[in-house]
Amino acid sequence: MKDLEEKLDAILQQMRDFIDELQERGSAYPMFFYHQPEEDISHFVDGRWSLPAEYVYFLRHYVVERVTWDTGDYINLKIYGARDLIRGQEGYNYNPVTDEMIEDWPQNYLVIATDEGDPYCLDLSRGDTAIFTALHGTGSWHFSMAYDNLIMFLESVLIPSSCEDMLPVDIPVAYYELTITGEGKEKLKT
């Protein structure tokens, strides 16, 4: 866990530096990324959800106010810190108007971020920090894995959209042949 904490600290520092640089340029939008850890997150650790240790560490150190990320693939990404995490569930797994749980929401999914309404979630039944996402407004949720872990997700917000074309193109890709068979002699190959 010590190695993960060091990686998280490094990424969080890069995020802080990015926000500080924007503020120094005289950004019209006030944003704050505090350096002090969140004082009390016991209500997350001790009760409501069973959170992975890596994510608990993140919640203790990602203390933000009015920060949204519009870099890389994101239009207006809001990553929830401990202060906003419960409110971030509203409209996904909880309806605050009717004070009811939303039935078609996967109950093990915790919304940790949203981008223009598209949720980014942890599947708490897994015990890891793989990040899943789905498009909103399609009538039903069809989640797919977006990132293998929290660190990869956080790194993705540090890629400015103007630099996306500078990323290496020679990323190794493994191709496989899949044969789907059933009864009979017809086979489908993809």
Side-chain angles (χ1 to χ4, degrees):
M1 181 64 190
K2 184 73 172 159
D3 185 45
L4 287 174
E5 289 176 2
E6 289 173 2
K7 287 180 181 178
L8 277 169
D9 286 339
I11 291 168
L12 290 170
Q13 186 58 49
Q14 288 175 344
M15 294 168 89
R16 280 187 194 97
D17 293 345
F18 183 81
I19 297 299
D20 289 347
E21 184 180 323
L22 282 178
Q23 292 303 94
E24 285 176 14
R25 287 190 211 161
S27 172
Y29 303 101
M31 297 177 283
F32 303 99
F33 196 144
Y34 301 103
H35 289 272
Q36 79 272 10
E38 184 72 42
E39 292 299 318
D40 182 26
I41 66 164
S42 60
H43 53 287
F44 298 121
V45 178
D46 299 335
R48 189 172 197 139
W49 299 297
S50 178
L51 302 175
E54 179 182 352
Y55 187 63
V56 170
Y57 185 86
F58 169 77
L59 286 178
R60 289 191 192 282
H61 295 87
Y62 183 76
V63 186
V64 295
E65 188 174 319
R66 294 189 293 272
V67 173
T68 58
W69 303 90
D70 62 353
T71 58
D73 292 329
Y74 308 108
I75 298 168
N76 192 22
L77 181 73
K78 178 164 178 59
I79 303 173
Y80 299 117
R83 297 174 186 178
D84 299 319
L85 189 60
I86 292 174
R87 202 170 43 238
Q89 308 314 299
E90 293 177 359
Y92 297 100
N93 70 358
Y94 174 73
N95 183 334
V97 175
T98 62
D99 195 29
E100 297 174 331
M101 299 303 287
I102 297 174
E103 294 297 320
D104 67 340
W105 182 261
Q107 292 306 307
N108 293 324
Y109 275 38
L110 175 70
V111 179
I112 65 165
T114 58
D115 185 32
E116 295 292 301
D118 297 340
Y120 287 83
C121 307
L122 293 176
D123 178 351
L124 298 179
S125 67
R126 292 172 51 107
D128 62 11
T129 60
I131 309 294
F132 295 86
T133 191
L135 295 175
H136 77 289
T138 62
S140 60
W141 295 109
H142 301 285
F143 284 92
S144 60
M145 186 182 292
Y147 298 96
D148 289 342
N149 56 54
L150 179 64
I151 290 172
M152 291 176 71
F153 173 61
L154 296 176
E155 287 174 338
S156 75
V157 305
L158 297 172
I159 302 171
S161 54
S162 60
C163 297
E164 281 182 313
D165 54 351
M166 296 169 56
L167 293 175
V169 178
D170 300 331
I171 297 172
V173 177
Y175 290 96
Y176 298 93
E177 183 177 290
L178 172 65
T179 304
I180 302 172
T181 62
E183 293 184 20
K185 56 185 175 179
E186 294 295 319
K187 294 182 181 180
L188 176 64
K189 222 180 227 191
T190 57

